Amino acid sequence: MKLGNQVEWAIHCMELLARVPDGVYIPTKVLAKFHGIPKEYLSKALQALALAKLIDGTLGPKGGYRIARKPSKISLLEIVEAVEGSKKTFHCQEIRLNNPCLPKKRKQADSICAVASAMYQADEAWRKVLREKKLSDIIRGVDRQVPPELMAASTHWIQSALD
Amino acid sequence: MKLGNQVEWAIHCMELLARVPDGVYIPTKVLAKFHGIPKEYLSKALQALALAKLIDGTLGPKGGYRIARKPSKISLLEIVEAVEGSKKTFHCQEIRLNNPCLPKKRKQADSICAVASAMYQADEAWRKVLREKKLSDIIRGVDRQVPPELMAASTHWIQSALD
DNA sequence: GGTATTTTACTCGGATAGTCTATGTCCGAGTGAGTCTGG
DNA sequence: CCAGACTCACTCGGACATAGACTATCCGAGTAAAATACC
């Protein structure tokens, strides 16, 4: 039970995309260099985000990605699900139906397995936190942590990279 | 982000082991046949549970595993962690430290990344549910779902298999 | 000078290898029950 | 009949293959900007 690195990358990139002025596109190349991660592979995560309509991309010079919605309208769950898929963390195999005492005909579940139910509750608790946590909250948190001069330098660095 | 099948197997086996009278050992072979899962691989999950002191095993004829504690004293989290490991679901890579604007000397994190913090909160919510859900709750849930005659037949099946 | 056209360099997007964990299988060391033997 | 020693089948435990998923990389189709030619 482990999340891939793409999740971290995706959230950081979304946070950065949310900071640039409207209408500005940032290419994968710049996002990758800024975060020090492999460009080609990051591309896959961004593709997933684009497919989920969280960002949209444009081709050609001055192209790249921009955020598709306001940060307050994007939850972390959407980002995580876009990258990792929306399947539940626990997949019930219904091994209780393998019980040799069970008559052959009743090989179908009529209720949710108690084990699966418990695991689904845990899964839902996890999702609930991510659903209520918005991208805007992340931005606020980062603002509180990063010193203003570093933030300004970063903004400037991005600007230069776009030319 | 997906849990392995071993988790499901482990919980079902624990539930079964909790139903057997004190002092009775059930071998992997029987557990595997009853649940219709590969014996050899299930063995790995049971080994993990034994290592975590949730069950203990005995060798020789009439050997096998028995539960080590009362079901009300065993949480699902313990079972899951025994099988899947206790590492967090999200591992922060600190890619924020790759920021090219960051002075070389300050390449160390002095606070928890806002992204990681959010993910950890979700992780903890998931754990909390599993921590509060005891094995005894699962047993109660199964009792409510399984018809008495099937339960009796299963008990009898296990008994026969032990001879 | 302004506009339409062409070029062009840059972007995303999907198809392609490598690596690591999860899955499934195998056999050997150890042990406790059952059996046999002797008193 | 009972006690002790022995045999032996059965157990767990760890070492050994296989499969799927995650990670990383490449190149081509498409496009929007920029340069160019023309009016």
Side-chain angles (χ1 to χ4, degrees):
Chain A
M1 177 92 155
K2 194 173 134 302
L3 280 158
N5 305 329
Q6 302 223 3
V7 172
E8 184 177 4
W9 301 354
I11 298 175
H12 277 287
C13 286
M14 290 290 288
E15 188 239 330
L16 202 155
L17 287 174
R19 291 181 181 278
V20 300
D22 279 2
V24 173
Y25 291 85
I26 303 184
T28 306
K29 192 164 115 187
V30 172
L31 289 171
K33 188 161 258 183
F34 184 80
H35 291 116
I37 52 186
K39 166 177 101 83
E40 312 289 1
Y41 188 34
L42 172 62
S43 168
K44 291 211 76 172
L46 296 175
Q47 280 175 42
L49 292 174
L51 189 68
K53 309 282 187 191
L54 296 176
I55 60 179
D56 45 35
T58 304
L59 269 52
K62 301 285 178 187
Y65 290 102
R66 70 175 175 189
I67 202 163
R69 270 184 268 157
K70 300 208 73 176
S72 58
K73 298 291 184 187
I74 297 178
S75 70
L76 289 198
L77 182 60
E78 288 180 280
I79 300 176
V80 171
E81 286 191 335
V83 173
E84 289 270 326
S86 55
K87 285 175 299 187
K88 288 194 171 66
T89 58
F90 180 83
H91 175 61
C92 181
Q93 291 191 269
E94 293 290 355
I95 65 171
R96 60 180 174 156
L97 297 182
N98 295 335
N99 185 330
C101 304
L102 209 56
K104 305 282 181 240
K105 18 191 171 181
R106 288 196 40 223
K107 286 288 183 192
Q108 202 147 7
D110 50 349
S111 60
I112 296 180
C113 174
V115 174
S117 171
M119 298 306 293
Y120 291 158
Q121 283 177 38
D123 183 79
E124 177 52 31
W126 178 74
R127 289 189 141 76
K128 182 177 160 64
V129 172
L130 293 180
R131 193 179 297 119
E132 292 174 353
K133 196 69 104 177
K134 307 298 181 190
L135 184 57
S136 49
D137 297 324
I138 298 294
I139 295 174
R140 244 193 309 279
V142 171
D143 280 337
R144 222 174 284 127
Q145 291 182 328
V146 177
E149 59 269 20
L150 176 56
M151 188 65 82
S154 300
T155 306
H156 187 261
W157 189 95
I158 297 284
Q159 269 303 330
S160 310
L162 293 181
D163 301 330
Chain B
M1 175 90 157
K2 195 174 133 302
L3 279 159
N5 305 330
Q6 302 222 5
V7 172
E8 183 177 4
W9 301 354
I11 298 175
H12 277 285
C13 287
M14 290 290 288
E15 187 238 332
L16 202 154
L17 288 173
R19 292 181 180 279
V20 161
D22 279 2
V24 174
Y25 291 86
I26 302 184
T28 307
K29 193 164 114 187
V30 173
L31 289 171
K33 190 161 256 181
F34 184 81
H35 290 116
I37 53 186
K39 166 176 101 83
E40 314 289 0
Y41 188 33
L42 171 62
S43 168
K44 289 210 78 171
L46 296 175
Q47 280 176 43
L49 292 174
L51 189 67
K53 307 284 189 191
L54 296 176
I55 61 180
D56 45 36
T58 304
L59 268 52
K62 300 285 179 187
Y65 290 101
R66 71 174 174 188
I67 201 163
R69 268 185 268 156
K70 301 208 72 176
S72 58
K73 299 291 185 188
I74 297 178
S75 70
L76 288 198
L77 182 61
E78 288 179 279
I79 301 176
V80 171
E81 286 191 335
V83 173
E84 289 270 325
S86 54
K87 285 175 297 187
K88 287 194 171 66
T89 58
F90 180 83
H91 175 62
C92 181
Q93 291 191 269
E94 293 290 354
I95 66 172
R96 59 181 174 156
L97 297 182
N98 295 335
N99 185 329
C101 304
L102 209 57
K104 304 283 181 240
K105 18 191 171 180
R106 286 198 40 225
K107 285 289 182 192
Q108 202 148 6
D110 48 351
S111 60
I112 295 180
C113 175
V115 173
S117 171
M119 298 306 292
Y120 290 159
Q121 283 177 37
D123 182 80
E124 178 52 31
W126 178 74
R127 288 190 141 76
K128 182 178 162 64
V129 172
L130 293 180
R131 193 179 296 120
E132 292 174 353
K133 195 67 104 177
K134 307 298 181 190
L135 184 57
S136 49
D137 297 325
I138 297 294
I139 295 174
R140 245 194 308 280
V142 171
D143 280 337
R144 223 174 281 129
Q145 290 182 329
V146 178
E149 60 270 19
L150 177 56
M151 189 64 82
S154 299
T155 307
H156 187 262
W157 189 96
I158 298 285
Q159 270 301 329
S160 311
L162 293 181
D163 302 331

